[in-house]
Amino acid sequence: MNVEKLTCFHFRNYETMSFSFVPKCIHFLYGKNAQGKTNLIEAIYFLSHLRSFRTNQMDSMIMHGCNEFCVQAIVESNHRKEELKVIVDHQKKHLFRFQNPVKKYSDFIGIENAILFCPDDLSLFTSSPKNRRRFIDMELMKLSRTYTSTLSSYQKLLKQRNQALKQSNIDECLVQIYLDQMIEVQSVIIKQRNEFLNSLMNKARELYPFFSNEKEEIGAKYMTFIPIDPDMKSHMKEAYDKVFEKEKRYHQTLIGIHRDDILFELNENPVCEVASQGQKRSFVLALKLGLAQIIYEKSGQYPILLLDDVFSELDDFRKRQLIEKLPRDMQIFITTTERLNINWNREVRFYDIEKGRIKEVLK
Ligand SMILES: Nc1ncnc2c1ncn2[C@@H]1O[C@H](COP(=O)(O)OP(=O)(O)O)[C@@H](O)[C@H]1O
Ligand SMILES: [Mg+2]
């Protein structure tokens, strides 16, 4: 998959910008601090996920003093062109595909499939479980539309059940009706999340040694409130029966997949307790490239890879090692503040970014 052309209007510090990029090529985005390198990566990421990786406030992406922004791209996907556009005014997104409005986010997310690696990703191991669930959910949403709808029906049912539990006179029959449906969708979601994590770890385990000096074993476990086996639904029924009295007192649903987590491990110890910064970086890199591999196997094409600010933290050997591990067919964007003097052994292009403007340079 390739972004052939990107257009931004009133997006962060880009007033109007329209630029063509080269398929399967590495694009180095150079520039001093605060010039708009990450903003450009953010625009490509936004078209893929309909959210930013830096903020939950969509307003903050609108250029100061303006009322809306627009990000648009022509994307090549499996030899077909896609034309995508998102306009964001205060708090509302308007989606278009070939100029036609798209109503459901699930019909838009993942048409352009981008994977990001940025320094903040190392917090995957230390931040709240919500971020780890989001990591898996975002990827599954890009890969499967049914996942998106199953997940949103769970969220809707959870809300309805909590609403029913909030009443002073709880209608237990209604609470049970919601629960029966919740158990059905949860068993699907747990299975999908768990299988996805296992196949991702199989890929990541193969890649990890390329980024690490030592011989650590990496692992990950999906943590939920019941054992993951063919009897999941009856385990759930039991678990909810046990907790029901307490739920009535607390007036809310106390267990469920909205509290699940992933435990990442290094030599069978929690990563957050034992790993160095370097080991965490190697782990995340292996996860992200493993992800690219899974996407390739499912869709027949590599995603677009966005590497924000991570290059400067690697020595020249690691930089080469990383680039050599990246599939030749993958279009890549790398932001960096320093010029690099390395023979890359594949097609590379260089761009200067200054005050929200981009121009191609020779080196
Ligand atoms: N909503 C906005 N409107 C105008 N400028 C913005 C907005 N958000 C961020 N900026 C500007 O974008 C610049 C930072 O861009 P960024 O891409 O993060 O820099 P870098 O090149 O270091 O990656 C700063 O100058 C900041 O003031
Ligand atoms: Mg930046």
Side-chain angles (χ1 to χ4, degrees), residues 6-169:
L6 179 72
T7 305
C8 297
F9 176 71
H10 289 178
F11 181 81
R12 297 241 188 227
N13 67 341
Y14 289 92
E15 187 164 11
T16 46
M17 186 276 269
S18 194
F19 211 82
S20 297
F21 297 103
V22 187
K24 302 182 184 183
C25 170
I26 301 182
H27 301 74
F28 280 105
L29 310 175
Y30 285 134
K32 297 202 179 100
N33 282 327
Q35 299 303 311
K37 301 183 296 299
T38 304
N39 294 347
L40 199 140
I41 296 271
E42 191 181 28
I44 299 174
Y45 184 94
F46 186 79
L47 277 173
S48 176
H49 300 78
L50 291 178
R51 63 187 308 279
S52 166
F53 56 92
R54 304 206 277 189
T55 174
N56 290 325
Q57 242 59 55
M58 278 197 304
D59 270 13
S60 63
M61 289 180 279
I62 302 175
M63 179 173 250
H64 300 318
C66 301
N67 293 319
E68 58 176 33
F69 76 73
C70 173
V71 182
Q72 199 172 345
I74 296 174
V75 175
E76 176 276 323
S77 170
N78 272 331
H79 308 293
R80 288 183 46 201
K81 300 260 183 234
E82 285 284 352
E83 208 183 304
L84 304 172
K85 178 159 89 174
V86 184
I87 298 173
V88 173
D89 51 31
H90 290 274
Q91 288 310 323
K92 199 158 171 21
K93 294 179 203 128
H94 309 270
L95 319 177
F96 302 88
R97 186 178 184 186
F98 295 109
Q99 307 298 335
N100 299 314
V102 176
K103 285 213 178 75
K104 284 201 263 170
Y105 289 3
S106 58
D107 289 337
F108 194 94
I109 289 176
I111 294 178
E112 182 216 278
N113 197 345
I115 288 187
L116 167 82
F117 179 43
C118 66
D120 199 39
D121 279 342
L122 302 200
S123 68
L124 180 71
F125 304 110
T126 43
S127 60
S128 68
K130 189 174 161 200
N131 287 334
R132 286 183 287 278
R133 284 195 303 272
R134 184 188 282 155
F135 166 65
I136 284 216
D137 285 342
M138 281 310 324
E139 294 312 322
L140 278 167
M141 277 158 81
K142 284 191 287 171
L143 285 169
S144 148
R145 278 181 206 172
T146 56
Y147 184 79
T148 314
S149 57
T150 319
L151 191 63
S152 63
S153 21
Y154 176 74
Q155 277 149 356
K156 206 165 142 200
L157 287 164
L158 176 65
K159 215 168 154 187
Q160 286 168 321
R161 186 170 187 267
N162 281 340
Q163 205 81 50
L165 283 168
K166 284 229 158 50
Q167 309 305 314
S168 46
N169 225 337

Side-chain angles (χ1 to χ4, degrees), residues 189-206:
I189 293 168
I190 292 173
K191 208 162 156 270
Q192 275 182 288
R193 282 179 177 173
N194 187 49
E195 278 171 10
F196 177 76
L197 185 65
N198 288 340
S199 50
L200 178 58
M201 285 314 297
N202 285 340
K203 303 279 179 213
R205 242 177 248 118
E206 284 171 29

Side-chain angles (χ1 to χ4, degrees), residues 210-213 314-324 342:
F210 290 97
F211 306 117
S212 167
N213 290 327
L314 305 171
D315 56 36
D316 283 358
F317 173 75
R318 286 276 144 79
K319 282 175 193 149
R320 266 193 153 284
Q321 190 85 337
L322 171 58
I323 295 292
E324 258 150 44
I342 302 177

